[in-house]
Amino acid sequence: MMRMRAAIAPSSPLLLHLLTRARTITSFVLPTPIHQSFSSCSRNRHVLPDTMRTINQKSCSSTTALASIAAGGDHAGLSATFSSKTGELIPVPEHLVPESMIEWGAIPSYLEMLVSEDFLKENQEKMERTIITVLPEVGCGIDNLETTKKVEEYNLQTDECRLIKWKDGKQDVVVIDRKVGPSSAPDQLVAMETMFQVASEVVADDQDDDETKEEVYPRRIRILFTIDTTSNLIIKDTITINVERLYSTSSQGTRWSGPQHNSGGLDARSVMNTIGKDIVYGDVFGVKRIKGGEDVWIMDDAVKDSVTEETEGGNSIRLPQNILIQFHDQAIELSHFDVIDSKLYRRSVLRSFDSSEDGFGSVIYREEER
């Protein structure tokens, strides 16, 4: 069983529910009221499953001072797409792949990507994201890679977008939700993004013979999909997962697309050095494990079985990087599991769409341990 320590906003209806279960609570703490920039944040109606024991739970955090390890800077990594129904990995679309790769049956499972994020203006009311995607190439093409560029703007001071951050110890959890499509459309579509900061990558630098230095690169997992909040269904039945490391401060995409590459082009070695061998060769999407008949989760079998028992009976899907997505009635929950010092830790973000006036609904973050 998991130990519980709950912290929720005093105005939340969850308070009454949890107090009725006080026998299972080790300690119960009401926090100082958190500044809430969105009215939807205070409507936390979802009832926690009785099988889970919460050690920390919070409503929305402030949207000021949002630049953090998990959001902002140059993040380089790999991006893959999965079916929201089966969890199956979807190969890169063939129109992005050289014909020779298609003929050889060597269609890639993921794309290399550089994501540059900038928070603009003093109060950080706007975020600009530049995405550079490397197209698959073979032969001599790897020395002059083709890329695509996309720039996205997030206006954080409108009711069309929200950015929420929680800090779990030294690791951040960030939510970015924004409405897509015309406001007059009968279906309310919301592009949802959840970031889980995970253990940093430590790389030894042996260039100095007298002293070995270490470079530390914070890493994050980003889960993206678009949902119709009126039906609680994911559009196009696809979920995108990015595994990235924070390489540097933001270059606004010029690290892979700037003048330094115009003469000789962007080469595969530069891309790999930015992403890092730990991600490039780390089978981060479980492709090799699946082919070898192994499970997509990197976790002890006993732990996986206990997680399955606690989450079975609902519409849920397991994805690489120990990600679990559960579809509840008018709600969707994303969880990341990790085992640290023989303890199972779960961080989850629950979005509820019932009786939402602003199209976003309420959002709760909770942290659990076994």
Side-chain angles (χ1 to χ4, degrees):
M1 297 294 289
M2 289 189 174
R3 294 184 294 131
M4 173 181 284
R5 185 180 75 250
I8 61 177
S11 60
S12 170
L14 276 173
L15 175 58
L16 295 177
H17 171 73
L18 289 173
L19 284 174
T20 60
R21 297 168 52 216
R23 295 187 304 274
T24 63
I25 299 175
T26 304
S27 61
F28 191 92
V29 181
L30 287 179
T32 302
I34 301 173
H35 168 69
Q36 298 178 352
S37 299
F38 306 100
S39 60
S40 61
C41 298
S42 61
R43 295 191 300 275
N44 300 328
R45 296 184 177 86
H46 185 72
V47 176
L48 297 178
D50 288 334
T51 54
M52 305 306 296
R53 305 286 297 264
T54 304
I55 62 171
N56 194 13
Q57 178 171 297
K58 300 176 182 178
S59 58
C60 298
S61 178
S62 171
T63 56
T64 60
L66 288 170
S68 65
I69 292 177
D74 267 6
H75 293 263
L78 306 179
S79 177
T81 302
F82 300 83
S83 167
S84 63
K85 293 183 176 180
T86 64
E88 184 179 356
L89 180 64
I90 301 174
V92 172
E94 290 189 4
H95 70 273
L96 299 177
V97 181
E99 291 186 6
S100 56
M101 281 188 169
I102 299 175
E103 293 174 357
W104 299 334
I107 299 177
S109 301
Y110 48 79
L111 293 170
E112 297 159 323
M113 190 173 292
L114 175 71
V115 181
S116 296
E117 296 167 344
D118 292 271
F119 287 92
L120 309 178
K121 300 185 179 182
E122 291 184 0
N123 58 356
Q124 300 178 357
E125 64 185 24
K126 182 179 180 181
M127 186 182 81
E128 182 178 270
R129 174 180 281 168
T130 303
I131 303 172
I132 306 296
T133 304
V134 177
L135 300 182
E137 193 53 86
V138 294
C140 296
I142 64 173
D143 293 324
N144 190 9
L145 297 168
E146 291 188 35
T147 61
T148 64
K149 179 179 180 179
K150 180 171 66 172
V151 179
E152 301 174 338
E153 292 186 352
Y154 299 79
N155 191 340
L156 307 176
Q157 298 300 313
T158 71
D159 60 1
E160 299 297 313
C161 180
R162 68 176 176 185
L163 192 157
I164 306 166
K165 184 188 75 173
W166 301 272
K167 199 167 190 68
D168 167 24
K170 295 182 179 180
Q171 295 184 335
D172 293 340
V173 178
V174 178
V175 160
I176 302 179
D177 293 339
R178 59 179 177 135
K179 298 174 184 176
V180 295
S183 57
S184 59
D187 299 332
Q188 182 62 71
L189 306 183
V190 178
M192 296 184 171
E193 178 175 343
T194 306
M195 304 181 197
F196 292 103
Q197 184 187 350
V198 294
S200 298
E201 176 186 356
V202 180
V203 180
D205 185 358
D206 299 324
Q207 293 182 0
D208 191 335
D209 296 334
D210 298 328
E211 182 180 357
T212 300
K213 298 181 180 179
E214 291 184 342
E215 296 286 346
V216 179
Y217 297 94
R219 289 176 57 173
R220 70 182 184 183
I221 303 168
R222 288 197 299 135
I223 304 99
L224 309 96
F225 52 81
T226 298
I227 196 165
D228 178 357
T229 58
T230 59
S231 63
N232 199 27
L233 295 176
I234 291 180
I235 304 302
K236 297 183 180 179
D237 298 324
T238 58
I239 298 170
T240 299
I241 296 181
N242 286 20
V243 179
E244 302 161 335
R245 74 171 183 173
L246 177 59
Y247 186 77
S248 68
T249 57
S250 175
S251 68
Q252 295 184 315
T254 59
R255 186 172 306 281
W256 285 3
S257 63
Q260 65 267 38
H261 300 303
N262 288 346
S263 57
L266 176 66
D267 62 89
R269 182 174 182 177
S270 298
V271 170
M272 187 185 71
N273 288 340
T274 311
I275 297 175
K277 295 181 180 179
D278 192 47
I279 293 179
V280 172
Y281 299 124
D283 194 25
V284 294
F285 300 121
V287 178
K288 296 178 181 178
R289 293 196 301 277
I290 293 173
K291 289 182 178 180
E294 299 178 59
D295 195 276
V296 69
W297 276 10
I298 303 177
M299 196 179 291
D300 183 83
D301 288 340
V303 176
K304 281 187 290 192
D305 291 342
S306 67
V307 171
T308 301
E309 290 176 3
E310 292 191 351
T311 58
E312 66 184 1
N315 188 4
S316 62
I317 185 170
R318 295 196 312 175
L319 295 169
Q321 294 295 312
N322 297 346
I323 296 295
L324 177 72
I325 299 182
Q326 293 172 277
F327 299 90
H328 306 286
D329 184 23
Q330 290 298 305
I332 187 168
E333 184 171 16
L334 279 76
S335 300
H336 173 257
F337 291 86
D338 201 0
V339 178
I340 304 175
D341 297 330
S342 301
K343 290 184 179 181
L344 174 66
Y345 289 87
R346 174 180 181 176
R347 295 177 293 166
S348 63
V349 174
L350 176 77
R351 295 174 175 91
S352 179
F353 315 122
D354 56 324
S355 304
S356 173
E357 298 174 359
D358 59 6
F360 285 122
S362 61
V363 58
I364 299 174
Y365 168 74
R366 76 176 185 262
E367 164 196 347
E368 301 157 328
E369 73 174 37
R370 186 189 308 280

